[in-house]
Amino acid sequence: MITRKVALVAALVLPLALSGCATETAPGPASESASPSAEWAPRQPRPADRDRAALAEVDKLDLCALIDLGVYAKRKANDTPVNLVPWTRDDRRECRLTRDDAPLLTVTDEESTGDTERRFSTVVDLGGVKGYQLESRRGGETVDCVYRIPVSFRRAIRIDPYVGRAEGPHACEMVKDFAAGAAAKLPRNLVYPPDGQDTGALGACADLLGGEICDPAVPVPVPEDHRELLVAGEHNPNVLCATFAAAVTQVYGAGFRPVATPNACYFVESQHRLQIEAGFTARGDNAGIFGSDTTLWKDKKKITVVDKPAVMYQTLGEDEFDIYASPTGDLDERGHVRFRLSAKDERGIHSDAHPKLSKEDWVRALRVMESVIDRHFLGW
């Protein structure tokens, strides 16, 4: 239970220009990294990718055979005939659906270096086959819609229309019909069920946006002594997750799941609207120095969280909010406890309207920090 309440609500509802933002005298750090590298690496067994025999089958696929002309026939605007044209671009095999030599749709054997596209796309069920949808919006209107059907951890059959062919409120439905048609034609040993393991990411790590060195967090003891806790957190990010887990769940709900990465614990959710980073260190930069670079951050102010001095600030685009508290009670002494919120596009949507955090988001973040400081870092 929080024993000492911090009076921050008034500061948050007043304009930031009137909130008593302290003048910064400390020079900015060489880099605002969280802490030195922790002695940790993912330990849980990695899932296996498709074997070479299966990938050889992908090489033999007739991509033109994956385009269901029956889907086109239901939607065609005139009787002009269409053609299926095999194509190679940048060593990638394609098939183009064309009308009067104008391209309408492309099916591509796509190979990626990572799974970034899948993390940003939403999972869709294509008749019992796992697929991904990524919709692009400009000015609130749909301008493009791409589908991918994974056939390995790095390869996918991509179905996308040409520019201007997937605009309007029902654009994704049209492309999805072609994607479902392609999924139905693919050999069953090359596709995944809707809940299938189609990347190397384990569990909630598939929802982490950025960074592939990750394991789902596992419960570990949290040292009662705050000095031992700081050291333990530097060597095992599961300690960071265990320290913040109860407070994050209480404030944000059980939908945010913890994942361990070097130097930090992230709490991620399936829709990707918000990502949380949490951590602490005895050896990292002092709390007071963070947020000093005015080309990146704004609205920096000094506050008190329970009985610890801290700083809080946000990005110029207002899509990230950070709190750094001093565990020792001195903003100029090395070490910090940190909590960071990042607003993200909703999964499956790429938009020119970038999301921003609200003052309510700030209040929730402060509630988590109050709880963690009160429970684990008092009495220094």
Side-chain angles (χ1 to χ4, degrees):
M1 178 180 293
I2 295 177
T3 54
R4 274 164 279 183
K5 190 69 175 175
V6 56
L8 291 168
V9 176
L12 289 174
V13 297
L14 289 173
L16 287 171
L18 303 177
S19 60
C21 189
T23 301
E24 296 178 10
T25 57
S31 66
E32 296 193 346
S33 58
S35 68
S37 296
E39 299 171 7
W40 177 86
R43 293 177 172 84
Q44 298 178 36
R46 303 292 103 178
D49 200 352
R50 285 272 158 78
D51 58 28
R52 291 184 178 179
L55 293 177
E57 285 193 50
V58 179
D59 294 331
K60 299 174 184 177
L61 285 174
D62 180 355
L63 300 181
C64 288
L66 299 181
I67 299 179
D68 188 345
L69 293 180
V71 173
Y72 172 78
K74 293 178 181 178
R75 295 179 175 274
K76 68 180 180 180
N78 54 54
D79 294 327
T80 305
V82 294
N83 297 297
L84 298 176
V85 183
W87 204 273
T88 300
R89 181 180 61 178
D90 300 330
D91 295 326
R92 294 189 305 179
R93 297 187 305 125
E94 294 183 353
C95 182
R96 298 180 176 182
L97 175 66
T98 67
R99 183 178 63 208
D100 287 336
D101 295 326
L104 304 176
L105 185 87
T106 298
V107 173
T108 307
D109 176 4
E110 180 182 66
E111 186 165 6
S112 304
T113 57
D115 62 359
T116 301
E117 298 96 343
R118 301 181 196 186
R119 295 187 188 222
F120 282 90
S121 302
T122 190
V123 177
V124 291
D125 186 339
L126 300 173
V129 173
K130 188 172 191 176
Y132 289 90
Q133 173 190 311
L134 182 60
E135 178 183 354
S136 296
R137 295 179 182 174
R138 188 178 302 121
E141 300 293 331
T142 299
V143 295
D144 195 16
C145 198
V146 175
Y147 280 79
R148 290 178 174 87
I149 306 169
V151 293
S152 79
F153 285 7
R154 293 291 181 262
R155 292 176 76 173
I157 303 302
R158 171 176 167 151
I159 299 94
D160 61 305
Y162 272 77
V163 175
R165 301 294 185 182
E167 295 182 347
H170 304 293
C172 284
E173 295 177 17
M174 176 190 70
V175 187
K176 185 177 182 179
D177 287 344
F178 280 104
K185 294 173 178 290
L186 284 167
R188 296 301 90 179
N189 64 319
L190 291 183
V191 296
Y192 295 88
D195 60 350
Q197 180 72 46
D198 66 298
T199 75
L202 289 175
C205 288
D207 291 319
L208 177 64
L209 301 180
E212 294 189 2
I213 304 175
C214 173
D215 263 357
V218 296
V220 294
V222 177
E224 288 294 327
D225 181 83
H226 42 257
R227 294 177 178 84
E228 293 179 9
L229 176 58
L230 284 174
V231 173
E234 289 182 338
H235 292 276
N236 186 352
N238 285 300
V239 174
L240 306 178
C241 292
T243 303
F244 279 87
V248 170
T249 299
Q250 181 179 18
V251 174
Y252 292 95
F256 283 81
R257 297 181 293 170
V259 297
T261 72
N263 306 318
C265 174
Y266 287 86
F267 292 85
V268 297
E269 50 96 14
S270 60
Q271 292 303 309
H272 300 177
R273 298 185 187 98
L274 185 69
Q275 185 163 280
I276 297 169
E277 179 190 341
F280 46 80
T281 173
R283 299 180 294 168
D285 288 327
N286 57 290
I289 211 167
F290 287 92
S292 300
D293 188 345
T294 56
T295 66
L296 299 173
W297 317 105
K298 68 176 184 177
D299 302 329
K300 180 176 178 179
K301 51 188 294 192
K302 292 183 178 180
I303 59 174
T304 300
V305 180
V306 189
D307 68 349
K308 302 296 182 182
V311 296
M312 69 179 191
Y313 53 90
Q314 64 176 333
T315 54
L316 299 181
E318 301 180 6
D319 59 346
E320 181 185 303
F321 172 63
D322 293 19
I323 308 171
Y324 279 78
S326 170
T328 65
D330 186 347
L331 286 175
D332 296 322
E333 188 172 319
R334 293 190 72 85
H336 60 257
V337 182
R338 69 185 183 279
F339 194 75
R340 171 178 293 162
L341 298 182
S342 298
K344 306 290 184 182
D345 278 332
E346 182 175 349
R347 187 171 189 177
I349 297 175
H350 177 68
S351 174
D352 61 351
H354 298 294
K356 296 184 178 183
L357 295 170
S358 67
K359 292 298 189 296
E360 182 181 355
D361 291 317
W362 293 24
V363 171
R364 290 180 178 177
L366 286 162
R367 284 175 55 196
V368 172
M369 281 291 277
E370 290 171 6
S371 178
V372 170
I373 294 293
D374 185 82
R375 171 66 181 84
H376 298 286
F377 292 100
L378 292 185
W380 195 283

